[in-house]
């Protein structure tokens, strides 16, 4: 079934076209622990605090993820953080991914390590990722691109990478597919220097 549905960056014939991600909202624990992780460790400015307009007994925190896109949390001081979280239920969040500048990737690893958090680092073929957990056990992926990809052409680059992967018969998109895609699209294909890492399990 999945191979019958075309993969393309062309806009679908749909009644609505989104223009980007405005924000994501997560059920959080308390303000102190949430701010400690998202502002004090990951460096996201806390840009707005107000009551949850649907339930004023809770506080609504807004963080800037770095490009003006927002992640928000409903928090309450009577809720404890849960480092184990709840995973696996249909409809639940698997993980959140935030972008890290390539030249700050190793510095970010040191910060996560210094904070005493466990983590794994993987070379995912077309990008690098560190996986850790927030104060409630939610999986947080911190990724960096191997190449500079203009935001307004990201979908185009990924779709071209996918086409080259399919033509090659590879199981997943690899570095060579993205490099070739960038070259075909006339974009810089000079890779950033990143540490060696395994691809992870399952591939």
């Amino acid at each position: 079934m999945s191979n019958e549905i075309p993969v393309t960056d062309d806009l679908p014939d749909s009644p609505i076209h989104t223009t980007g991600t405005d924000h994501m909202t997560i059920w959080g624990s308390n303000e102190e622990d949430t701010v400690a992780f998202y502002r004090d460790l990951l460096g996201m400015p806390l840009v707005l605090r107000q009551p949850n307009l649907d339930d004023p007994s809770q506080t609504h925190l807004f963080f800037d993820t770095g490009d003006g896109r927002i992640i928000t949390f409903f928090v309450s001081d009577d809720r404890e953080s849960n480092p184990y979280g709840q995973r696996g239920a249909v409809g639940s969040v698997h993980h959140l991914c935030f972008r890290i500048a390539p030249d700050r990737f190793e510095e970010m690893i040191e910060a996560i390590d210094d904070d005493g958090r466990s983590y794994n680092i993987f070379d995912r073929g077309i990008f690098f990722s560190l996986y850790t957990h927030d104060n409630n056990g939610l999986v947080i992926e911190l990724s960096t691109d191997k190449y500079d990809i203009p935001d307004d052409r990201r979908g185009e680059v990924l779709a071209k990478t996918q086409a080259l992967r399919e033509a090659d018969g590879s199981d997943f998109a690899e570095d060579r597919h993205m490099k070739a895609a960038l070259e075909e699209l006339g974009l810089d294909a000079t890779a950033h220097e990143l540490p060696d890492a395994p691809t992870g399990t399952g591939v």
Side-chain angles (χ1 to χ4, degrees), residues 3-183:
N3 290 333
E4 298 173 5
I5 300 174
V7 176
T8 175
D9 63 315
D10 293 336
L11 285 176
D13 183 16
S14 59
I16 297 171
H17 293 125
T18 62
T19 59
T21 300
D22 186 272
H23 72 277
M24 301 166 284
T25 299
I26 307 295
W27 287 110
S29 56
N30 57 74
E31 180 170 345
E32 182 179 2
D33 292 348
T34 303
V35 169
F37 183 81
Y38 288 91
R39 185 194 68 184
D40 299 340
L41 180 60
L42 298 190
M44 297 181 187
L46 176 63
V47 294
L48 184 68
R49 177 199 290 111
Q50 64 181 20
N52 174 355
L53 300 183
D54 296 320
D55 180 0
S57 69
Q58 301 181 84
T59 300
H60 198 178
L61 303 177
F62 292 68
F63 297 86
D64 184 339
T65 64
D67 58 1
R69 293 178 177 88
I70 302 298
I71 183 171
T72 82
F73 294 83
F74 293 144
V75 299
S76 179
D77 287 340
D78 61 359
R79 293 202 291 257
E80 294 294 325
S81 292
N82 177 7
Y84 302 102
Q86 297 181 19
R87 303 185 188 99
V90 173
S92 63
V93 175
H94 184 276
H95 71 275
L96 300 178
C97 181
F98 303 106
R99 206 180 302 170
I100 301 292
D103 61 352
R104 302 291 299 277
F105 193 75
E106 296 202 45
E107 186 178 341
M108 178 268 299
I109 296 171
E110 293 179 10
I112 296 293
D113 200 30
D114 290 345
D115 200 54
R117 296 185 179 274
S118 60
Y119 61 89
N120 291 299
I121 302 172
F122 297 120
D123 179 345
R124 293 304 198 185
I126 57 175
F127 54 89
F128 255 71
S129 292
L130 178 147
Y131 294 87
T132 188
H133 296 87
D134 76 354
N135 53 296
N136 287 310
L138 180 61
V139 176
I140 302 297
E141 178 184 0
L142 303 169
S143 72
T144 193
D145 289 326
K146 291 184 174 182
Y147 304 91
D148 288 325
I149 304 174
D151 282 342
D152 62 344
R153 300 191 69 180
R154 183 168 292 271
E156 181 184 9
V157 170
L158 290 175
K160 175 61 73 174
T161 302
Q162 167 75 8
L164 293 172
R165 179 197 73 79
E166 289 181 343
D168 192 39
S170 299
D171 290 335
F172 63 97
E174 300 177 31
D175 179 88
R176 58 196 172 91
H177 300 127
M178 175 161 279
K179 183 175 182 179
L182 290 166
E183 290 173 348

